[in-house]
Amino acid sequence: PVRVGILISGRGSNMMALVEQAQGYEVALVASDRPDAAGLAWARERGIATFALSPKGIGKAGYEAEIDAALRAAGVQVIALAGYMRLLSDAFVARWRERIVNIHPSLLPRYKGLDTHSRAIAAGDATAGCSVHVVTEELDGGAVLGQAEVSILPGDTADTLAARVLVAEHALYPRILAEYVSR
Ligand code: GAR
């Protein structure tokens, strides 16, 4: 199986889905820019190697060098971003070219960036959803590998919509990552 490293910043529910539905890949490391990320404890309890480092005080380049070293030490071949809320530098993306994927809570190319669900509701869209894409230097701009659509219902708030899209994320991401690592 291909060795995958997952980067998270918080809850880590997509990371959990990737671990639980792993096919053709194995999760070799879960790393976070936030040592208190809830998902880290979950991974540790399951015997998955973890690495946590705050960029505070060491600068972006120093921080990324440490993350890169941890990923390489764990033999990681492909990186999956899962609620990782930090922009990777161009240099980091170049070092892992075509080997970083991300899940984004919108139907790309619509709503790159933050607050995707409130923007979709405000626009009067009939559907929202999520996308798995290759990470390039352009924010949320790389090739889309797969998407799942979710209806926007009358009365939806950003929170109710986010909860339904999240269910779709947990089904989509493991399936697309399995396809990607066997490409
Ligand atoms: C997910 O909805 C993911 O799509 C989104 O953050 C959430 C993380 O939840 N990602 C982004 O907004 C990336 N810019 P999780 O930590 O429970 O997986």
Side-chain angles (χ1 to χ4, degrees):
V2 171
R3 293 177 71 79
V4 168
I6 305 180
L7 300 189
I8 65 171
S9 292
R11 182 174 57 184
S13 71
N14 276 290
M15 175 274 293
M16 296 172 196
L18 290 174
V19 167
E20 285 173 340
Q21 300 172 57
Q23 252 196 69
Y25 65 87
E26 64 188 329
V27 178
L29 183 72
V30 175
S32 180
D33 58 322
R34 299 187 44 163
D36 61 346
L40 282 178
W42 185 94
R44 227 177 275 125
E45 280 164 21
R46 275 152 192 82
I48 299 168
T50 62
F51 180 80
L53 180 68
S54 166
K56 281 193 193 110
I58 56 173
K60 192 178 183 82
Y63 161 78
E64 284 189 346
E66 298 277 351
I67 293 280
D68 184 77
L71 291 163
R72 286 170 197 280
V76 166
Q77 298 162 283
V78 170
I79 300 173
L81 307 183
Y84 183 70
M85 301 310 280
R86 214 167 270 283
L87 209 56
L88 294 169
S89 70
D90 289 359
F92 188 96
V93 170
R95 277 173 73 87
W96 291 88
R97 173 89 51 215
E98 302 289 327
R99 293 188 295 148
I100 312 175
V101 297
N102 179 44
I103 187 154
H104 180 74
S106 79
L107 296 172
L108 292 171
R110 304 200 79 173
Y111 312 124
K112 296 173 180 178
L114 299 175
D115 298 323
T116 54
H117 300 307
S118 43
R119 287 153 68 199
I121 291 169
D125 293 357
T127 57
C130 48
S131 307
V132 176
H133 66 92
V134 178
V135 171
T136 64
E137 287 82 351
E138 189 200 338
L139 176 68
D140 300 327
V144 172
L145 301 170
Q147 294 183 312
E149 264 187 45
V150 171
S151 296
I152 298 181
L153 304 177
D156 255 339
T157 63
D159 286 350
T160 60
L161 180 57
R164 283 205 316 288
V165 170
L166 192 64
V167 174
E169 293 183 41
H170 297 163
L172 180 73
Y173 206 178
R175 182 167 68 75
I176 301 301
L177 183 59
E179 282 177 20
Y180 192 69
V181 299
S182 68
R183 76 199 185 280

